Amino acid sequence: MKNLILYICLLGFIQMQAQESYTIDGASGELYIHEINKVTLVGSNESKLTVEVDGKLYETPEKSKGLKLINPAGYSDNTGIGLHVSKDGNSYSFRRISNKKGNRYIFHVPKGYHVHYESSSYNAGTLHINDVEAELDVSANYNRVELSGVTGPMAIHSVYGGIEAKFSSVSQEGPISLYSVYSDVDVSVPANTKANFNLKVSYGDVFSDIDLSYPQSEDGFKHLNAKKFTGLMNGGGVDFTLKSGYNNVYLRKQ
Amino acid sequence: MEREEKIIAYLLNELNTEERADFESAMHADPELKQAFLSYQTSLSSLDKLAAETPSIELKRKFESFLKNEIAKPQAHQNNLRILSPLKWMGVAASILLAGFFLNQFIQDAPTNSDFNTINPEWIQTVSTGKTSERIQAIHEITDKNDLDPTILKAIEEVMYNDQSSNVRLAAVESLGQYVHQSEVQLMLIEALQKIETPIIKIEIINTLTQNKDDKAKDTFEAMLAKNDLNDAVRNELHTNIRKLENIY
Amino acid sequence: MFISENSKITAMKYILTCLIACLCISIQAQENTTNYVLKNSDLKIKSDYASILIESSKTDQLELVTNATLNGVQMADLLDVDWDSNSQTLLISANFKKVKKMSKAELDKLMEEADCEEIKSSWKKNGNAWGNYNFNTEVVVRVPKQVSSLNINSTYGSIDVNHKAQTLHLFSTYGSVEVQPNTGCNNCDLESTYGSVSLNANSKANSDITLQSNYGDIYTDIDFDINKEKSENEMFHSVIVGTLNKGGQQKIHLRSDYSNVYLRGN
C-alpha cells in the first residue's frame, strides 16, 4: 500500500514535470545552435531530432494571447518552445527568441548529425554533451563544456570556460581539438587509444598518467618542450590537440 | 540566499513569479538594496555588449561560390600541376590547375610566374564544403610543408576571414603561424588582427605574432590598446604579450 | 518543489487579506471628484504611487476622481493633488507619512469605521505591523476631447490610457503602461523600466516602429517589415526597428527594460 501511494505520487510528480518538445524527422543532417543558453546535447538512436525543454516552460503571459513572439533578426517563435528553427535542405538552425525562457534545452541528436554550437553570452551556462557520436563543432566565449561518452571528431574552444571530456573511444575519422584560453582542459581516454597528442600550454603545465612516445625529428633529435610537444599514444593515430592558454592541460587514461 | 545572489538571480530571470514580486517589493522598501541592484544591472549591461562577431553568411557564400566556380572551370595549364604530397587526395589524376584563375581573381598583386601556383580542386572542395573536421585537417595538412605556396597562402587567408566555423578559422591562423617569420604572413596577420572581431581568433593571432619577437607586433598591440572598444579577453592578451615582448628586448 | 508550512501559512494569510480588501473595496468605493479648467490641449501628470487611468470626459473640463484606501477603508486625504494651471500639470502624491504618524489608537479607530467585519477582525487578529497595511491608490482622470497631448510620468503606479490623443508620452518606472484600442495616437512613446508596455495600434496606419526590451520579450500580431540593420539583437538587449505599410506618418516607440512589450493591431 505504501509503495502504491509512492508510485502514485511519483507519477503525479512526473506529470507535473512534463516536458515541452519539438521534433524534426530524419536521422542525419546539419544542426546549428545559435546563441542558446543552457544546452545539453544527448546522443540518440532514433531517426529524429528532438529538442526538449528541461522542466516547465515559464508561464506565457495572459496579454500575449493571439500575439507572436518576435526578435530583432525578424525571427519568431515557430517551435512553441521559445526557439526559432529554419530549414535549408538538410540543415536546421535553431535560434533563441525569448529573453525570458531561461530553461535548459536538451537536444537529442541522432548519430548522423553534424552539430555546430556557438555562443557569446556570459550567461550561457555549461554545455553538456553526453553520448553523442555526431561530429561536434563548438565555439564558445563563456560556456564551460563537459563531455562524456564522446568519440570525436570534434573541434571545441571556449575563451573563459573549462573543458572536461571523457571519451568512450577515440574515432580515427578526423582530428580532435579542445582549447580553452583561461581554464583547464581535462581529458580522459581509453587505454587502447591510438592518437598523436599535441599538447600546448602557455602559462600552465601539462599533467598526464599516459606513457607517450616522442617521435624523432628529421634532425635526429626528440624535440621536447614543457609548453608544447607531440606525444604518441599506442604508436600514434588521429591528431588530438589539447591546449590551454593560462591554465593546465590534464591527459588521463581510463 | 544572500542579497547579492538574489540580485543576480533576479537579473538572470532565475526567480519564480512570487520570488520576483517579493524581491521587487523589498527593493521598493530598501534604498540600499535598490542601489546595489542598479550597480549590478549596470555591470551586466556592459557585459552584454560583448557579442562575438561571426562572418556573414554572404561572405561565406561568396567564397564558396568562387571556389566552386573555379572547380567548374575548364582544365587549363595542367602542365604546371604540382602534387602536394601530404594530401591523400592530391594524387587524383584529373587535378586541375586553378592557380591562374585563383591569382587573377583572388590576389591582384601575387607573382604570376610562381613555381607554386598550384592547388588541388579536391582541396578547394574540402575547405569550402567539407565537414568541420575535414576542413581543419585540410588546412593543417596543406601547410605542413617547408615553403608556403602564395596561392595556398591566399586561400588560407580567405578561410581565416570567411569560414563559418571559428574552429576552422582558428586552424587557419595556427597554420599561418608556422610561417609568421615570413614578412608577408606577418603583415597578413597584423591586418587580420585589426579586421577580425572574433575574440578567440584575435587571441590566437596575438600569440602567433609574439613568436616573431619584433617591434611591428608590439607597435600594433600598443596601437590597438589605445582604442576603447576592445573585448576584455583580447585586451588582457595584448597586455600580456606586450610584456612578453618587452622582456625579450 | 516543497513549500514549507510557514510559507503556506504566509501565502494563505496574504490571499485572505487581499480577498478581504477586495471585498471591502467594492463595498466602500466612493468618488472624490475635482474639476479643473484647461487653457490648452497639453496635459501633464506626475504621480508617485497611484495608478492612473485616463478616460475621455463628456464635458470640457478636466475631472479628477481619486480613490485611496487603507485595508479597504477610504482615506480621502491619503492622496495629495496639486494643479499647476500654468504648465497644466497635475501632481499626485501618496502621503503615507500621515498614516505612519497616526497612533495605534487612531488606526484602531479608523479600522472600526470599516463597515466590513472581515477587515475589523483581521486588523484585531494581525495587529498593526507595517506588513498588514494594504494601500490602494488610484486616480481616474477624465480629459476633454481638446486634450491632444498627454505626458504622464509615474514612479510606482501603472498607466492606462483610453482617450484619443495625437501625442502620448507615458512613462512608469515600476508600473505597467497600456494604451487601449482606438486611441489614434500619432506619436506614441510608451516606456516602463520594470512593468510591461502595451499598445493597441491601427494596423492600417503608415508607421515607423521601434520596440525594445532588454530582459523581457516582444510580442505582436502586426506584420511589419523589420529593418535588420537598424535593429539590435544582443543577449538581453533587443531593439526591433521596422516599418508598417509605408511608414513615415505615425511613430510608435515601446520600451520595457525588464518586462514584455506588446504591440497589438486593431
Side-chain angles (χ1 to χ4, degrees):
Chain A
M1 188 61 190
K2 199 175 169 184
N3 281 345
L4 184 67
I5 292 168
L6 190 68
Y7 284 135
I8 290 167
C9 290
L10 196 64
L11 198 67
F13 181 76
I14 289 165
Q15 279 178 342
M16 278 170 68
Q17 291 287 302
Q19 291 170 326
E20 295 168 68
S21 65
Y22 180 82
T23 300
I24 290 168
D25 287 330
S28 64
E30 300 274 330
L31 168 62
Y32 289 89
I33 302 171
H34 300 280
E35 301 295 344
I36 301 177
N37 296 336
K38 299 178 188 168
V39 165
T40 296
L41 303 172
V42 182
S44 166
N45 291 322
E46 297 197 32
S47 58
K48 62 184 180 184
L49 173 76
T50 303
V51 190
E52 270 182 342
V53 181
D54 191 15
K56 191 162 167 43
L57 211 57
Y58 94 107
E59 204 174 315
T60 305
E62 184 69 23
K63 278 185 181 175
S64 70
K65 278 188 180 165
L67 308 180
K68 62 182 180 183
L69 185 58
I70 59 169
N71 89 340
Y75 299 112
S76 60
D77 177 0
N78 59 358
T79 62
I81 55 172
L83 302 178
H84 173 88
V85 63
S86 56
K87 184 177 188 288
D88 182 7
N90 223 11
S91 166
Y92 298 93
S93 296
F94 285 86
R95 291 176 171 81
R96 175 189 53 84
I97 302 298
S98 171
N99 274 331
K100 275 193 167 173
K101 296 183 177 175
N103 300 69
R104 177 165 285 275
Y105 288 97
I106 305 170
F107 288 75
H108 295 268
V109 188
K111 283 180 194 172
Y113 271 90
H114 179 188
V115 185
H116 309 263
Y117 174 88
E118 60 178 28
S119 168
S120 58
S121 167
Y122 67 89
N123 192 30
T126 300
L127 171 64
H128 292 282
I129 303 176
N130 303 327
D131 306 317
V132 175
E133 289 182 41
E135 180 168 332
L136 300 167
D137 175 14
V138 174
S139 302
N141 266 7
Y142 293 92
N143 299 75
R144 177 174 167 77
V145 186
E146 290 183 5
L147 309 98
S148 69
V150 291
T151 59
M154 66 177 72
I156 293 175
H157 75 253
S158 177
V159 175
Y160 290 101
I163 302 172
E164 186 178 342
K166 289 171 184 161
F167 283 76
S168 55
S169 65
V170 173
S171 164
Q172 301 295 307
E173 277 181 30
I176 293 167
S177 166
L178 305 171
Y179 173 24
S180 169
V181 178
Y182 286 103
S183 297
D184 289 339
V185 174
D186 190 329
V187 171
S188 56
V189 295
N192 63 355
T193 297
K194 293 175 82 65
N196 294 356
F197 282 107
N198 302 302
L199 306 167
K200 300 173 190 175
V201 286
S202 297
Y203 292 93
D205 292 306
V206 178
F207 298 89
S208 181
D209 59 358
I210 297 175
D211 288 327
L212 298 172
S213 61
Y214 303 98
Q216 281 187 346
S217 292
E218 285 173 5
D219 57 13
F221 288 100
K222 290 183 179 181
H223 288 248
L224 298 177
N225 177 330
K227 298 292 180 191
K228 182 182 173 185
F229 58 95
T230 298
L232 311 184
M233 184 175 181
N234 295 320
V238 72
D239 275 338
F240 200 135
T241 302
L242 304 178
K243 189 171 165 185
S244 173
Y246 290 88
N247 235 304
N248 299 331
V249 164
Y250 300 91
L251 175 59
R252 310 164 196 272
K253 69 178 175 211
Q254 291 159 5
Chain B
M1 210 185 275
E2 291 294 317
R3 188 179 76 164
E4 280 71 19
E5 284 175 354
K6 201 139 202 172
I7 294 172
I8 291 167
Y10 181 89
L11 285 172
L12 300 182
N13 288 304
E14 287 174 356
L15 298 180
N16 62 35
T17 314
E18 192 180 334
E19 287 170 330
R20 285 185 77 80
D22 287 347
F23 179 80
E24 282 161 11
S25 308
M27 198 158 54
H28 294 173
D30 183 353
E32 273 187 25
L33 176 64
K34 192 177 167 194
Q35 191 57 45
F37 169 80
L38 291 172
S39 159
Y40 272 89
Q41 186 190 331
T42 310
S43 307
L44 282 176
S45 301
S46 62
L47 276 169
D48 285 347
K49 302 206 182 298
L50 298 176
E53 172 267 359
T54 52
S56 77
I57 290 171
E58 195 53 40
L59 265 177
K60 176 181 159 45
R61 285 198 176 136
K62 203 170 142 195
F63 178 51
E64 284 182 0
S65 157
F66 170 77
L67 293 175
K68 280 175 188 167
N69 287 341
E70 289 303 320
I71 293 165
K73 280 181 179 175
Q75 300 182 12
H77 313 297
Q78 285 201 15
N79 54 335
N80 287 342
L81 181 68
R82 195 170 75 103
I83 303 293
L84 303 172
S85 57
L87 298 170
K88 62 184 177 194
W89 55 78
M90 287 297 179
V92 177
S95 297
I96 310 160
L97 177 71
L98 295 166
F101 302 105
F102 216 82
L103 284 169
N104 287 338
Q105 298 196 26
F106 243 91
I107 43 174
Q108 304 301 323
D109 53 354
T112 51
N113 58 350
S114 167
D115 288 335
F116 307 105
N117 294 341
T118 56
I119 197 158
N120 185 287
E122 280 203 33
W123 185 87
I124 293 172
Q125 183 80 39
T126 304
V127 295
S128 59
T129 61
K131 289 180 180 177
T132 307
S133 62
E134 291 169 347
R135 304 204 300 278
I136 289 174
Q137 193 155 13
I139 294 293
H140 281 315
E141 285 181 344
I142 206 162
T143 50
D144 191 19
K145 299 169 357 51
N146 290 328
D147 294 311
L148 195 59
D149 183 307
T151 311
I152 292 168
L153 181 67
K154 201 68 194 171
I156 293 172
E157 186 187 24
E158 291 298 326
V159 171
M160 174 176 71
Y161 278 107
N162 297 323
D163 195 282
Q164 196 170 11
S165 164
S166 53
N167 282 307
V168 179
R169 289 187 280 142
L170 199 57
V173 177
E174 283 171 355
S175 287
L176 288 173
Q178 296 174 51
Y179 306 94
V180 70
H181 56 276
Q182 293 180 16
S183 63
E184 60 191 304
V185 174
Q186 188 193 26
L187 291 174
M188 189 182 275
L189 288 172
I190 285 174
E191 190 182 354
L193 178 59
Q194 290 161 90
K195 285 185 177 172
I196 293 174
E197 294 298 326
T198 314
I200 192 82
I201 307 292
K202 275 189 182 294
I203 289 169
E204 192 64 25
I205 294 175
I206 292 164
N207 282 303
T208 303
L209 287 171
T210 302
Q211 291 168 23
N212 233 17
K213 301 171 187 174
D214 81 10
D215 284 337
K216 266 187 209 150
K218 189 166 167 273
D219 294 345
T220 307
F221 297 169
E222 283 171 345
M224 286 176 71
L225 276 174
K227 295 177 185 170
N228 290 324
D229 56 350
L230 278 178
N231 170 291
D232 284 347
V234 174
R235 182 176 291 279
N236 182 42
E237 206 65 28
L238 288 169
H239 276 300
T240 307
N241 280 275
I242 286 172
R243 282 199 296 273
K244 254 190 194 176
L245 290 167
E246 281 172 346
N247 287 340
I248 290 162
Y249 295 116
Chain C
M1 287 305 298
F2 300 99
I3 301 166
S4 72
E5 280 305 307
N6 280 343
S7 306
K8 277 182 188 169
I9 291 164
T10 312
M12 286 296 285
K13 265 188 185 173
Y14 179 76
I15 291 165
L16 202 65
T17 312
C18 289
L19 280 173
I20 291 166
C22 291
L23 198 70
C24 295
I25 286 161
S26 60
I27 296 165
Q28 301 261 323
Q30 284 174 8
E31 281 198 351
N32 297 301
T33 308
T34 318
N35 286 22
Y36 302 94
V37 176
L38 294 173
K39 291 183 211 162
N40 60 46
S41 59
D42 291 350
L43 177 65
K44 296 184 189 73
I45 300 173
K46 286 185 182 174
S47 172
D48 51 11
Y49 283 91
S51 59
I52 310 286
L53 171 62
I54 305 292
E55 291 177 349
S56 295
S57 167
K58 287 171 186 167
T59 70
D60 58 357
Q61 289 195 346
L62 185 73
E63 291 173 31
L64 186 72
V65 183
T66 59
N67 180 29
T69 59
L70 166 59
N71 292 353
V73 180
Q74 285 285 338
M75 285 194 73
D77 55 353
L78 195 60
L79 286 176
D80 290 339
V81 178
D82 284 325
W83 169 245
D84 181 345
S85 59
N86 287 330
S87 62
Q88 292 208 142
T89 304
L90 269 176
L91 293 161
I92 303 162
S93 56
N95 196 344
F96 295 129
K97 282 180 187 170
K98 277 183 186 169
V99 180
K100 277 195 168 179
K101 281 177 186 170
M102 287 168 82
S103 67
K104 185 178 180 305
E106 284 173 310
L107 281 165
D108 287 345
K109 194 183 169 195
L110 186 75
M111 289 300 119
E112 278 300 313
E113 287 172 13
D115 46 359
C116 178
E117 286 307 316
E118 284 85 351
I119 283 184
K120 287 178 190 171
S121 61
S122 173
W123 183 263
K124 278 178 189 165
K125 193 176 172 186
N126 299 323
N128 67 337
W130 191 244
N132 291 329
Y133 291 78
N134 187 351
F135 292 106
N136 184 41
T137 51
E138 57 188 28
V139 175
V140 180
V141 185
R142 297 192 185 119
V143 297
K145 278 183 188 173
Q146 69 186 80
V147 172
S148 62
S149 171
L150 274 170
N151 190 325
I152 306 175
N153 191 317
S154 168
T155 308
Y156 295 103
S158 61
I159 303 170
D160 191 348
V161 174
N162 194 1
H163 169 77
K164 272 193 180 181
Q166 288 290 302
T167 302
L168 291 175
H169 291 293
L170 313 176
F171 174 78
S172 176
T173 307
Y174 293 99
S176 62
V177 176
E178 183 157 5
V179 174
Q180 301 297 331
N182 304 316
T183 52
C185 57
N186 232 18
N187 185 358
C188 322
D189 180 15
L190 282 59
E191 190 172 329
S192 172
T193 309
Y194 295 99
S196 67
V197 166
S198 176
L199 175 73
N200 285 269
N202 179 3
S203 56
K204 288 175 186 164
N206 297 317
S207 314
D208 296 328
I209 297 173
T210 304
L211 311 174
Q212 178 173 350
S213 180
N214 292 343
Y215 292 89
D217 289 328
I218 300 171
Y219 293 88
T220 189
D221 60 356
I222 298 179
D223 281 327
F224 62 95
D225 294 330
I226 294 176
N227 183 329
K228 290 177 191 171
E229 284 185 6
K230 287 184 180 171
S231 297
E232 296 169 41
N233 188 21
E234 291 169 28
M235 188 63 74
F236 302 131
H237 178 71
S238 300
V239 184
I240 297 178
V241 180
T243 308
L244 174 61
N245 301 319
K246 291 176 185 170
Q249 289 176 341
Q250 185 189 38
K251 279 190 180 171
I252 292 174
H253 174 255
L254 312 181
R255 172 177 172 159
S256 170
D257 287 342
Y258 288 91
S259 192
N260 297 340
V261 166
Y262 305 94
L263 174 63
R264 203 181 289 273
N266 293 327

